[in-house]
Amino acid sequence: MSKLPVSVGMKNIDKPGVSRLREPAAARALAPLANTMKANALVQRQAARLLHNSVLSAGLAGRLSDPQVWSEWGQLQAAVMQRLHQQNLAWRDGCAILAEDFALIRHANTISKMAEKQGNFFSQWTTLLTNQATSLFELMENIHVDYGYWASQKVPRDS
Amino acid sequence: MIASSSSKVVQLGSYKASRRNNSISGLSSGAFMTVQLHLAHSASFAGAGIIAGGPFRCAEIFQPDEMMTAEDACIENSLYICMNPLIPQVSPDAQKLAAMAQETARAGKIDAVANLADDRLYIFTGSADDVVDSDVVARTRKFYELLGVKPDNIRYVDSVPAGHSIITDNPEDSALSTNQPPYINNGGFMQSHDILQHIYSDLQPAAQSLAGQLLRFDQTEFFADARDRASMSQFGYIYIPSNVAAGRVKEPRVHIALHGCKQGYNYTDYVNGRADIANQPPYGNRYFTTTGYNHIAESNDIIVLYPQAEGTDNDTVQNPDGCWDWWGYTSANPQAPDYYSREAVQIKAIHAMLDRLCA
């Protein structure tokens, strides 16, 4: 069965008086602008993180001869590669499942079932792509935060 | 939903419970909240059970620069340092957090840290947990040791190949290594019994059947002044053992059991960003009926309190998974988050419930 929209309602657990549907019309009209501004703010925040991490990296130059720093740097690299490997496995598993689903569409024996199966296939395909993109962004944020935290502990306090 | 044989909603009653010999446990966000509540009101508790939880205020461990707001830093730290650090070295710094806890106590926002010294702790991390990393939970143990808890009083378990879950011996629960809702996995033993056995070392074996009352109470009276940001459900649950209900127990002990994310009675899954109201999960009442707490409580005259958090996702509160607050979403001022002190909305509400039971 399709998950949209019959079985999916509006946010019934939202608190009364604050749900998006009850927002003033003016606020709804400004939503596209607000969303764009928020996206810009988030990108700027990541840019600021990168800048901050670059400064920390420069501060690490004083510890280039410290084998512990190199060891932990290597562990960070390996952890990122491991996460990418897991994501690749999830992508391949997802594609394999979708290929099976696609092959089963031909068993539909009415036009409505055919339409439903095709719709389900494209929904699942979109979900897989969304999950992959979300995971990549999560990993990017994870790297930025963890590297910054790690480097801030390694950089000498007087630098 | 069947919470008990009665469909009544009662007012939480008074049972002249102990004011000092109580305990608390929780899974995941419930475990983070367990640590917060334990620290905030350490005078009320004799011990705690922490399943996959991190140390006190770990969401505030890192503030990169002034451009990053405290609110944003807390969210990112909670996700990437307190749950999913890339390597052990970027797990939350227990020493720094222990110092923050001492400072918070000196500021009078939580009870004196010295109360923790003789408390008994059960700390668990599944070796297959991919939601809250085992390195984080190891820091929780270190954090408590730095605050003066005797190592002999800590039972630290990290050898069970469990996913992110509370473990039961129910045949219908998920496979042990599973990391998915309802986060209740079958490992062949009742983890709730291990927790209570460790905290109160003199317990009788769990009862085979329940003779007490599982009651549904209206918990909104405990956060009436902050309903818009509490992210707590209308109802909470409580198990009253038969001897306590009959008035045969002097100063019964209270155990507070906190569910994790997506485990509250009215949790609703979000599909593509919308509440899936036509397919509500069937496990909403399992945390307070099948995790084993009630059976061991029955044979040992322990009241079990089950406060409930609920999913909220709007302009005021972003908590769609119904987690307990350990990163500041309930804070009145997000730039000076207070989710950890005695005055924090959820902590204040839960402790007020305990106070009612003690009255």
Side-chain angles (χ1 to χ4, degrees), chain B residues 163-245:
Chain B
H164 191 69
S165 60
I166 184 169
I167 299 171
T168 71
D169 59 8
N170 302 320
E172 65 270 21
D173 287 338
S174 307
L176 183 61
S177 61
T178 306
N179 282 284
Q180 64 188 41
Y183 302 116
I184 301 174
N185 294 358
N186 178 6
F189 67 97
M190 279 292 185
Q191 195 164 30
S192 58
H193 298 179
D194 285 6
I195 291 170
L196 284 163
Q197 290 280 8
H198 178 71
I199 295 173
Y200 305 115
S201 47
D202 57 345
L203 296 191
Q204 300 295 315
Q208 291 297 311
S209 59
L210 299 179
Q213 303 167 336
L214 181 58
L215 302 174
R216 177 193 296 104
F217 67 94
D218 187 337
Q219 62 175 15
T220 57
E221 63 170 303
F222 298 101
F223 52 90
D225 55 343
R227 288 189 74 154
D228 60 330
R229 58 192 171 91
S231 205
M232 291 176 70
S233 311
Q234 182 178 1
F235 306 125
Y237 299 87
I238 186 164
Y239 183 75
I240 309 294
S242 52
N243 282 334
V244 176

Side-chain angles (χ1 to χ4, degrees), chain A residues 93-156:
Chain A
D93 289 349
C95 287
I97 291 168
L98 282 176
E100 282 179 28
D101 288 354
F102 188 73
L104 292 174
I105 290 177
R106 69 179 188 278
H107 295 304
N109 47 17
T110 65
I111 291 174
S112 60
K113 285 189 185 298
M114 172 67 87
E116 183 185 327
K117 282 175 179 290
Q118 286 185 334
N120 287 345
F121 174 78
F122 286 112
S123 293
Q124 295 298 331
W125 174 244
T126 306
T127 299
L128 179 63
L129 288 176
T130 304
N131 288 346
Q132 285 286 310
T134 306
S135 295
L136 269 180
F137 283 124
E138 275 178 1
L139 181 57
M140 181 191 73
E141 290 173 346
N142 204 337
I143 294 168
H144 289 174
V145 173
D146 283 11
Y147 177 79
Y149 180 50
W150 173 77
S152 69
Q153 295 175 86
K154 298 297 170 196
V155 173

Side-chain angles (χ1 to χ4, degrees), chain A residues 3-15 18-20 23 38 44-46 48-49 52-53 56 68 72-73 75-76 79-80 83 127 137-139 141-150 152-154, chain B residues 61-62 64-65 67-68 72-73 76-77 79-81 84-93 133 227-232 266 268 270-280 310-316 320:
Chain A
K3 289 179 177 174
L4 288 167
V6 176
S7 64
V8 178
M10 303 312 294
K11 296 180 178 177
N12 70 318
I13 58 175
D14 280 353
K15 297 287 189 231
V18 291
S19 82
R20 207 165 293 163
E23 281 184 344
K38 184 66 179 180
Q44 281 175 14
R45 191 206 297 172
Q46 285 305 315
R49 273 247 187 228
H52 182 256
N53 287 351
L56 288 169
Q68 191 188 346
E72 291 179 10
W73 165 254
Q75 289 176 52
L76 273 170
V80 171
R83 298 279 173 98
T127 299
F137 283 124
E138 275 178 1
L139 181 57
E141 290 173 346
N142 204 337
I143 294 168
H144 289 174
V145 173
D146 283 11
Y147 177 79
Y149 180 50
W150 173 77
S152 69
Q153 295 175 86
K154 298 297 170 196
Chain B
I61 189 68
F62 179 47
D65 55 40
M67 279 196 68
M68 176 75 72
D72 293 340
E76 292 195 345
N77 291 344
L79 289 170
Y80 304 124
I81 295 175
N84 222 349
L86 286 168
I87 58 173
Q89 292 84 348
V90 291
S91 300
D93 181 346
D133 199 281
R227 288 189 74 154
D228 60 330
R229 58 192 171 91
S231 205
M232 291 176 70
N266 59 341
T268 305
Y270 271 60
V271 176
N272 296 332
R274 286 191 179 172
D276 187 2
I277 57 173
N279 294 289
Q280 300 211 16
E310 78 175 4
T312 309
D313 190 15
N314 57 40
D315 287 346
T316 311

Side-chain angles (χ1 to χ4, degrees), chain B residues 36-302:
Chain B
Q36 292 172 183
L37 201 54
H38 186 210
L39 269 284
H41 288 284
S42 52
S44 304
F45 297 111
I50 297 149
I51 308 168
F56 184 68
R57 296 182 71 180
C58 66
E60 296 171 75
I61 189 68
F62 179 47
Q63 175 76 31
D65 55 40
E66 291 72 27
M67 279 196 68
M68 176 75 72
T69 65
E71 182 183 23
D72 293 340
C74 281
I75 291 169
E76 292 195 345
N77 291 344
S78 64
L79 289 170
Y80 304 124
I81 295 175
C82 305
M83 290 174 68
N84 222 349
L86 286 168
I87 58 173
Q89 292 84 348
V90 291
S91 300
D93 181 346
Q95 204 142 18
K96 184 176 176 183
L97 293 171
M100 279 169 67
Q102 300 270 16
E103 193 183 315
T104 312
R106 279 194 295 272
K109 293 183 175 180
I110 61 174
D111 283 358
V113 170
N115 293 328
L116 299 170
D118 57 353
D119 282 6
R120 295 179 64 80
L121 295 172
Y122 173 98
I123 302 175
F124 179 91
T125 175
S127 60
D129 190 330
D130 65 11
V131 178
V132 176
D133 199 281
S134 292
D135 295 320
V136 173
V137 184
R139 299 295 172 100
T140 306
R141 174 199 204 179
K142 178 80 176 163
F143 167 81
Y144 271 111
E145 287 176 354
L146 288 167
L147 290 181
V149 178
K150 298 180 189 78
D152 287 350
N153 283 2
I154 300 177
R155 183 180 173 199
Y156 182 74
V157 183
D158 64 353
S159 56
V160 179
H164 191 69
S165 60
I166 184 169
I167 299 171
T168 71
D169 59 8
N170 302 320
E172 65 270 21
D173 287 338
S174 307
L176 183 61
S177 61
T178 306
N179 282 284
Q180 64 188 41
Y183 302 116
I184 301 174
N185 294 358
N186 178 6
F189 67 97
M190 279 292 185
Q191 195 164 30
S192 58
H193 298 179
D194 285 6
I195 291 170
L196 284 163
Q197 290 280 8
H198 178 71
I199 295 173
Y200 305 115
S201 47
D202 57 345
L203 296 191
Q204 300 295 315
Q208 291 297 311
S209 59
L210 299 179
Q213 303 167 336
L214 181 58
L215 302 174
R216 177 193 296 104
F217 67 94
D218 187 337
Q219 62 175 15
T220 57
E221 63 170 303
F222 298 101
F223 52 90
D225 55 343
R227 288 189 74 154
D228 60 330
R229 58 192 171 91
S231 205
M232 291 176 70
S233 311
Q234 182 178 1
F235 306 125
Y237 299 87
I238 186 164
Y239 183 75
I240 309 294
S242 52
N243 282 334
V244 176
R248 291 192 288 265
V249 183
K250 188 183 175 191
E251 287 202 348
R253 295 171 288 198
V254 178
H255 183 79
I256 301 172
L258 297 174
H259 63 72
C261 302
K262 304 186 178 185
Q263 291 185 314
Y265 79 86
N266 59 341
Y267 168 68
T268 305
D269 194 16
Y270 271 60
V271 176
N272 296 332
R274 286 191 179 172
D276 187 2
I277 57 173
N279 294 289
Q280 300 211 16
Y283 50 79
N285 62 355
R286 278 165 67 177
Y287 204 87
F288 56 86
T289 55
T290 69
T291 50
Y293 284 104
N294 299 339
H295 287 78
I296 195 160
E298 171 62 26
S299 56
N300 292 281
D301 305 327
I302 298 171

